[in-house]
Amino acid sequence: MMQELNYIRCGDYYIPDIRLLEETRPIGRWWRMHRDYIKVRKPIRFNDLCLSGELWTYLADLNEQAQNRLKLIIEQMKAAEGVTEVIKQHDQMAWVRAMNRIRNRAEEIVLREMIYEEDAV
C-alpha cells in the first residue's frame, strides 16, 4: 500500500516531506559498541538500517536485550556459585570480589553473543 507523499516548497523546488520515526528509548554502552561494530564489520547492514530509518530502533532493542541478558546471566551465576546476601553480611570484600568476577564473565558472554555476534566457544 502506497502512502501519500507530501511535499514542502523550498524556493522554486518541491522537496519530499520525509520524517523518521521518533525513538525515545535511551542509548547505552551496548548500543554504541554494536553500532561501531556493524559500521566497521558489516557496512551494508549498517547502511540498510540507516537508509530504512530502523537503526535507532534496532539498536535500542539490542541494548534492552543485552541488559536483560546480563541481569539473567549474573543471577544464574550467583545462584550456581552460592554468592548470597549471607556472604555479603559476613565478608563484604569477599562478596565484592565474587560479584566483580561474575559481572566480568557475564559481560564477556554478552559481548561475544550479542554485540560482536561471535559463536560460543
Side-chain angles (χ1 to χ4, degrees):
M1 176 160 90
M2 293 288 292
Q3 294 181 353
E4 183 179 327
L5 190 58
N6 295 319
Y7 292 87
I8 300 172
R9 185 172 179 176
C10 281
D12 293 336
Y13 301 100
Y14 285 95
I15 300 172
D17 185 17
I18 301 172
R19 299 181 193 271
L20 296 176
L21 298 174
E22 291 291 324
E23 181 64 59
T24 58
R25 291 182 285 176
I27 60 173
R29 67 185 270 222
W30 307 112
W31 186 99
R32 287 188 293 274
M33 283 190 265
H34 189 68
R35 180 199 58 206
D36 293 344
Y37 170 76
I38 62 173
K39 195 174 192 178
V40 172
R41 299 287 182 164
K42 300 183 179 196
I44 294 172
R45 183 175 178 192
F46 180 78
N47 287 337
D48 286 345
L49 289 167
C50 284
L51 293 173
S52 67
E54 297 173 1
L55 180 65
W56 190 280
T57 303
Y58 166 76
L59 292 172
D61 289 344
L62 182 119
N63 192 61
E64 287 177 3
Q65 292 167 8
Q67 288 174 339
N68 293 336
R69 179 87 170 114
L70 180 67
K71 288 177 189 174
L72 177 66
I73 292 171
I74 288 173
E75 290 304 316
Q76 290 173 342
M77 286 182 170
K78 279 174 49 178
E81 296 176 18
V83 178
T84 62
E85 292 297 315
V86 174
I87 295 172
K88 186 177 181 180
Q89 291 173 353
H90 287 76
D91 188 357
Q92 289 180 355
M93 290 309 293
W95 181 83
V96 168
R97 283 190 298 271
M99 287 303 297
N100 283 340
R101 284 192 305 269
I102 288 171
R103 183 164 187 86
N104 289 338
R105 286 182 285 151
E107 285 180 354
E108 189 64 33
I109 291 169
V110 170
L111 282 170
R112 284 179 165 262
E113 288 181 357
M114 300 183 75
I115 305 308
Y116 300 125
E117 299 173 344
E118 297 175 5
D119 293 331
V121 179

